[in-house]
Amino acid sequence: MARVGADSFAVARSGLISVADAAEFAEQVLADCAKPLEIAGRELSVAARIGIADSNSSLPSGQRLLSQADFALERARSSGGANYQFFAASMEETAKARQELIDDLQAGLRNGDLFIVCQPKVSIHPASDGQLSGAEVLLRWRHAVRGWVRPDEFIPVAESAGLITQLGDFVLYSACWQIRAWLNTYGWSPRLAVNLSARQFSAPGLKERIEQVLRETEVSPSQLEVEVTETAAMHDVEKTAATLQALRALGVKVSIDDFGTGYSSLNYLRLFQVDAIKIDKSFVDDIETDANAKALCSAMLRIGQALGFRVVAEGVETTAQLEFLRRGKCDEVQGYLIAKPMPCAEFEKEWVAGRRGVSGSALDDTLASRALRGDAATTGQV
Ligand code: C2E
Ligand code: CA
Ligand code: CA
């Protein structure tokens, strides 16, 4: 037995050992570690994780054997709790593929393969129907060989690889420089909303970082909104409440994203200071077909209204959904029915340059004219 790291140990066993033997041995080690120990008057026990590799079939070098055990250990670590895992070739492949994605992502950040797109949010208030109320900023990555990589694919990897701050800063700067550019050219800019991942949200210094970006780009805090998912917000309720308060004190708008899908607790709505909630697309999707989804949308609208939050519905794709949301006095909608996410230059032409949709008369006109011009939101997406 050897100590190979701060809190890791390697056990080498020689001779012919069956898989069942190895498993039994690992279970014994776990059980021994779990036995309470008294140290300096305190009782402690260890939830060990074990990775197992064998040289029976392939005769790898000692170094390789250790690295295979490490891959198995990695898996055991991510399974949580005391457990053991056997090495499998697929683990090495998964880890290799993941590392390649991380390398590519870092290169992408350097060479401009990543960029932001904008998706408009429009008001459906009778008084300002169809008026642009802001836009959500979404990250895009086009890799020379991989093609388009979806954010739901690379953002979790960036989070676990510690790249999310870099990526998050990139999005914040891109959004704020864009606002600055529109202010310079048109004298106004729509408010842009950026998504904050869970890690980003809980990392220390978020407020200071945002403050710095705003200062450098000379953008007023009220021009910026952050979207935080319910799941990220619920991680550490007290800390979240403090962070939200600090951001709002700065003047940045805050919305709760994917509302209704996380560990929803009505209590947090009392504790958290937010400006808006975004009803998750999954509820909006089923408005026409599922009475429960419809009832839940109504309930979320009423909760938001009762607490004085703006309510935004995301993923609106049909006029029937739009009508239902209008009747429920939803404040804003976002979705393919209005427009798909588009490059900033296109968004600028369509929505910023002419201050599109400002006059009262209805989203329907906007939609009708788009349809007539043949650029209905159903065409290509970025
Ligand atoms: P999200 O924040 O819920 O973003 C909304 C997603 O719904 C976007 O997907 C958008 O393209 C899509 N969407 C909007 N309207 C419709 C519609 O009517 N129908 C359908 N089918 N989809 C619609 P996207 O861009 O693929 O982003 C997926 C997720 O990745 C986002 O979910 C967000 O969680 C994350 N993400 C994207 N950009 C960023 C970013 O810059 N930072 C962080 N942390 N996360 C990001
Ligand atoms: Ca969002
Ligand atoms: Ca969402």
Side-chain angles (χ1 to χ4, degrees):
M1 183 164 178
R3 180 165 180 229
V4 291
D7 62 351
S8 37
F9 299 86
V11 177
R13 300 179 73 208
S14 63
L16 258 186
I17 299 164
S18 70
V19 170
D21 281 347
E24 198 181 310
F25 181 73
E27 275 162 22
Q28 189 58 53
V29 174
L30 291 181
D32 286 344
C33 289
K35 279 186 197 148
L37 288 172
E38 209 186 279
I39 297 173
R42 288 177 59 204
E43 206 168 78
L44 298 167
S45 70
V46 175
R49 278 90 164 163
I50 300 175
I52 306 169
D54 72 70
S55 65
N56 290 353
S57 47
S58 49
L59 281 179
S61 68
Q63 198 56 45
R64 186 142 174 79
L65 201 55
L66 261 179
S67 113
Q68 290 183 344
D70 244 352
F71 282 120
L73 178 59
E74 220 18 75
R75 179 65 56 89
R77 281 206 180 103
S78 59
S79 310
N83 74 101
Y84 61 91
Q85 299 284 333
F86 283 94
F87 170 77
S90 63
M91 289 175 185
E92 211 164 7
E93 279 151 30
T94 310
K96 205 167 140 242
R98 183 173 169 280
Q99 192 53 51
E100 277 166 11
L101 191 71
I102 293 167
D103 295 344
D104 283 358
L105 193 53
Q106 264 169 326
L109 269 170
R110 278 194 307 271
N111 61 26
D113 287 350
L114 283 113
F115 59 96
I116 57 165
V117 295
C118 292
Q119 186 180 33
K121 297 190 248 189
V122 301
S123 164
I124 53 171
H125 268 300
S128 52
D129 206 6
Q131 200 170 320
L132 183 72
S133 54
E136 178 172 2
V137 166
L138 295 154
L139 191 54
R140 292 292 178 264
W141 179 19
R142 182 165 201 175
H143 183 263
V145 180
R146 295 173 190 271
W148 292 103
V149 190
R150 295 163 45 93
D152 343 16
E153 212 175 303
F154 67 82
I155 283 171
V157 175
E159 278 219 293
S160 65
L163 271 178
I164 196 66
T165 320
Q166 217 180 322
L167 214 61
D169 281 357
F170 172 79
V171 175
L172 267 174
Y173 272 107
S174 304
C176 290
W177 280 123
Q178 186 57 79
I179 294 172
R180 175 55 26 226
W182 285 333
L183 287 173
N184 289 350
T185 313
Y186 304 103
W188 82 289
S189 166
R191 177 184 299 143
L192 295 185
V194 301
N195 292 283
L196 292 184
S197 78
R199 279 270 163 104
Q200 222 182 329
F201 184 69
S202 54
L206 173 68
K207 181 189 144 237
E208 289 72 17
R209 181 167 264 121
I210 291 180
E211 252 179 321
Q212 188 188 341
V213 177
L214 291 170
R215 208 172 27 241
E216 275 179 44
T217 54
E218 293 176 46
V219 163
S220 127
S222 63
Q223 291 269 301
L224 182 69
E225 180 156 335
V226 294
E227 298 190 1
V228 184
T229 65
E230 221 171 24
T231 318
M234 290 306 292
H235 223 65
D236 180 345
V237 175
E238 260 168 50
K239 198 165 158 227
T240 297
T243 309
L244 294 181
Q245 196 176 0
L247 290 177
R248 289 196 73 221
L250 203 67
V252 171
K253 305 286 173 194
V254 176
S255 53
I256 298 283
D257 206 356
D258 301 348
F259 187 72
T261 60
Y263 305 105
S264 310
S265 147
L266 295 179
N267 197 36
Y268 84 70
L269 288 179
R270 218 160 47 107
L271 296 170
F272 294 174
Q273 297 187 13
V274 300
D275 298 279
I277 55 174
K278 295 187 82 179
I279 301 179
D280 189 65
K281 176 179 179 304
S282 58
F283 298 100
V284 175
D285 272 348
D286 295 344
I287 283 175
E288 288 161 82
T289 52
D290 177 357
N292 287 341
K294 200 167 165 176
L296 285 168
C297 277
S298 299
M300 288 188 264
L301 281 163
R302 259 172 286 157
I303 289 174
Q305 287 152 1
L307 294 170
F309 303 149
R310 264 186 300 130
V311 184
V312 184
E314 66 175 19
V316 178
E317 291 183 347
T318 69
T319 44
Q321 291 164 355
L322 178 65
E323 272 323 306
F324 172 82
L325 292 161
R326 254 199 196 129
R327 281 199 303 278
K329 300 201 165 46
C330 182
D331 298 286
E332 296 170 24
V333 291
Q334 175 185 355
Y336 292 0
L337 181 67
I338 293 92
K340 290 188 172 176
M342 58 187 99
C344 293
E346 196 178 314
F347 180 80
E348 172 177 335
K349 215 166 66 197
E350 293 246 326
W351 296 85
V352 186
R355 262 208 195 234
R356 252 274 303 286
V358 178
S359 69
S361 135
L363 183 54
D364 304 283
D365 288 355
T366 310
L367 294 172
S369 69
R370 287 172 70 82
L372 287 175
R373 296 206 328 262
D375 63 350
T378 40
T379 53
Q381 182 192 11
V382 185

